[in-house]
Amino acid sequence: MSPHKIVLRFTAATSDQPIIYHLVKDYDLVVNILKAQINPHLEGTLVLDLWGERYEEGIEYLRQQGISVHPLNQEVVRNDDRCISCGACTGHCPAGALFIDRPSMEVQFDGNKCVVCLQCLKVCPVRAMEVRI
C-alpha cells in the first residue's frame, strides 16, 4: 500500500486538536509529516504522507473535525522570466516560501517551504506563479 500525499488546512478552531494522535492510535495509520505551518491567527497547513488499511476512515474523521483535506497532486513553481520582483506575493505567503532577498531586493522562491496554499497565484500581478500538476 503506497502513501497518499495530502494537504490538511486548519482553522483556529481546529488547529489545537491532536489529530495525528487519533490518526495513528484510533485508525492505525502511518503518518509522515512533510511540511507544517501555523500562522499567528492559528490557521495552519499540514502536508503529509498518510497510509494504512483504514485510510478512508481516517480521512472521514478529519473532515468530521472540520479539517479541509485535499490530495497533493500539484506543486507551485515560479516562472522566473515573468517575475518582476514586485514583492506582492511575499506578504501573502503563509509558509515564507516567497521572500525578498536582501540586499538585492529580488523575490526568491523556496519550493521546499511551499505548502501549496495558492495564495501567491491570486495576488501575482504578472502571473509568475504557476501550478504544475
Side-chain angles (χ1 to χ4, degrees):
M1 178 172 294
S2 62
H4 299 265
K5 288 192 183 307
I6 60 173
V7 178
L8 307 180
R9 300 201 197 287
F10 302 86
T11 63
T14 59
S15 66
D16 65 346
Q17 301 300 310
I19 60 121
I20 299 298
Y21 170 83
H22 288 291
L23 290 174
V24 173
K25 180 140 174 58
D26 299 343
Y27 298 96
D28 200 29
L29 296 176
V30 178
V31 177
N32 180 27
I33 298 172
L34 303 172
K35 296 179 190 177
Q37 179 71 32
I38 190 163
N39 68 26
H41 304 288
L42 298 179
E43 300 162 329
T45 305
L46 184 63
V47 180
L48 49 86
D49 286 330
L50 185 67
W51 68 98
E53 295 289 325
R54 298 177 64 195
Y55 173 81
E56 293 300 329
E57 291 176 67
I59 295 298
E60 182 58 29
Y61 158 76
L62 293 170
R63 290 188 173 125
Q64 288 174 355
Q65 300 305 307
I67 297 166
S68 169
V69 180
H70 304 283
L72 181 62
N73 53 3
Q74 58 191 17
E75 70 176 322
V76 174
V77 295
R78 183 175 69 172
N79 182 327
D80 293 329
D81 294 333
R82 284 190 182 169
C83 182
I84 59 172
S85 287
C86 68
C89 57
T90 61
H92 294 273
C93 181
L98 287 157
F99 58 94
I100 296 178
D101 183 47
R102 310 254 187 232
S104 71
M105 299 305 288
E106 292 180 0
V107 172
Q108 299 296 316
F109 176 61
D110 183 349
N112 291 326
K113 290 184 178 179
C114 181
V115 293
V116 195
C117 70
L118 307 180
Q119 292 300 310
C120 56
L121 274 75
K122 296 175 186 175
V123 300
C124 181
V126 295
R127 301 184 194 270
M129 302 309 292
E130 302 170 348
V131 174
R132 182 183 303 154
I133 299 175

